[in-house]
Amino acid sequence: MTDQGISQTGRRRTSLFRELLSDTPAAIGAALIVLIVVLTLFAPLIAPFDPADQNLTARLAPPVWIDGGSWQHVLGTDSLGRDVLSRILHGGQVTLLIGLCTTVIALAIGVVIGLWAGYCGGRADSILMRIVDIQVSFPGILLILLIVGVIGPGMMTMIIVLSVTNWMVYARLVRSTVMSLRQTPYVEAAELVGCRPARVIFVHILPNLIPPLLTLSILEFTNIVLAEAAVSFLGFGVQPPAISWGLDVATGRDYLFIAWWLVAFPGIAIALTVLSVNLFANWVRVTTDPQERERRFARDLAARQRRGLSS
Amino acid sequence: MTLPPTLSVENLTVSYPVRAGTFWRPPTFLTAVDEVTFAIAPGETLGLVGESGSGKTTVGRAVMRRVNTSAGRIFFRGEEITQMEGEPLRKLRARMQLVLQDPYTSLNPRMRIADIVAEPLLVHGRVKNTSEARDHVRALLDLVGMPADAHLRYPHSFSGGQRQRVGIARALALEPDLIVADEPVSALDVSVQAQVVNLLQDIQQRMGLSYLFIAHDLSVVRHISHRIAIMYAGRIVEIAPRERVFAAPVHPYTKTLLSAVPIPDPKIQRTRKRLIPLGEPVDLANPPPGCRFQTRCAFATDQCRVTSPPLLERSKGHVAACWNF
């Protein structure tokens, strides 16, 4: 990596992009992520209606392809006649922001605590892990209600609250992985060569935490979107007229039997986001592992040659 | 004036807590290494042989200051390092290096060979980055017989023997005075073992460094060592120049060990009598007084069950710990 000059950095970046394109699922995932981000960012320009605009004459209008639907409300309307498509476009902003921020903050706290406990061991480990145990055994929703009760509902509160209740799982994962990695001969070799602890942690231990952490944070991202929906449903999370996918799924539940589209479309938006992040993350995981990456490269090469022979 | 020995160890004892103590019960300890004394001269190879659990790896780790010693003293080139810690210890690491047993797990799978070999140079401030070390790394890889294009590849594209060569290159990068080789060939094929052992010998002749060569395979040790130390249950039972160990072993355990090595001649092999150790191996957590080998020794007397035999000189440079021989 360091053996090449800086002049080659640019070329490496384009080749990395080509590598992404050659992996179809990952490319689709990446494209979907870009699409979703652009759509939600520019929601005010794209959305046909204000998401809070009520139109009581067009309540519970079905999507366009069902009898009674119209092109005016492509994905139908909710119980107050608000346009579902516009609500999804706008709701993505809050959902993605809360999901992303919470995952990153919880991940950061969890990794620091986990590394500290796993690398130092002994008393630091016991104390930190007991804190984790206490936090895990404490009902999350109760803590959320407590914090929201003190500092009041809002998006910042949601991010803080969800981070505080979700970091433990990362800490536990990181701690156990670090403890087993510390026993591996190459980490021992690094220490005996004379590496300082910081180098051992950042060069030899942390890179090996990427795959499990990627997988876990994507699962946690979904959890957080749903947790945000649950808290919003209780009235402690995102406050109307602000909107989020989770909130829409939660409120649409009452109309599930007469207007399925209220739950289905925000639900599909959540599922699609998670799926595309997953596809992309899978590619990142392989790319950060030299052995897996070379295997993928060999597979691609073999596939290309076979195609070349048959045609 | 003679040079001080590269490494000398006096009454080294290492014990591990087996069960942590509680309010009622004191902690129990297992003495893995018990009063071990030896020295390695500059340019010399000491082979350390013993069965699994005899404490030979622990001796290596204690010498490298990887495990703490409970008693005894360790000197490196005349300087005491028994209690050395922190930055001085880190500096010391540049002068004594370890070659690990398993070449498949001792190299970081996410680092290129060039980065692995350059790492010691980097962390000891000899170079600022890997590209600065490129020529040095190439020379080292060439020295250990790795192909010229190896430095840009990852460990997984090499065989076990080649990876062990990379491990040796990493250990050599700082030109240490001592290399502790902890069973460096036992994970390799026999044909590859010979290559790696010969490589280690070559390097010793060129660079004049010392080895503490830990192994359980007597034929490998015989090939590389100048002197051989035999360990049993945490104690050294015999130290002798290579040929003396094979020609005139003194300790019953050494004899038992030697009789287990097959001779590549069926006629002689058939006439040989294999010495079978009796009884059970000693319980290290609760050893009886006296000689550690008493439970398996055919010649054990009352004296052996009461007092530990001291290491006494039998001929020049040949010491053994036995009351009866």
Side-chain angles (χ1 to χ4, degrees), chain B residues 142-160:
Chain B
D142 187 49
L143 178 72
V144 297
M146 288 292 285
D149 64 339
H151 65 288
L152 279 178
R153 289 154 71 185
Y154 288 95
H156 64 81
S157 50
F158 294 104
S159 67

Side-chain angles (χ1 to χ4, degrees), chain A residues 1-4 182 184-186 188-196 199 203-204 207-208 211 288-291 294, chain B residues 61 66 87 90 93 97-98 100 105-112 115 119-120 122-124 130-131 134 154 156 170:
Chain A
M1 185 160 62
T2 38
D3 218 79
Q4 284 145 9
R182 270 211 89 171
T184 56
Y186 67 83
E188 189 188 14
E191 284 172 356
L192 286 176
V193 147
C195 293
R196 292 188 178 87
R199 188 177 164 88
V203 177
H204 296 280
N208 291 290
T288 52
D289 184 332
Q291 190 165 3
E294 274 176 31
Chain B
R61 292 293 192 278
R66 173 84 178 150
E87 197 57 22
R90 210 181 70 80
R93 299 243 187 265
Q97 286 288 314
L98 183 72
L100 289 152
T105 55
S106 58
L107 307 175
N108 188 339
R110 285 167 193 272
M111 285 170 84
R112 289 169 196 258
D115 294 311
E119 182 163 49
L122 202 63
V123 297
H124 285 285
T130 311
S131 34
R134 182 158 49 187
Y154 288 95
H156 64 81
R170 169 173 62 188

Side-chain angles (χ1 to χ4, degrees), chain B residues 163-176:
Chain B
R163 288 185 208 199
Q164 198 59 295
R165 286 168 193 269
V166 174
I168 293 169
R170 169 173 62 188
L172 289 174
L174 294 163
E175 295 174 5

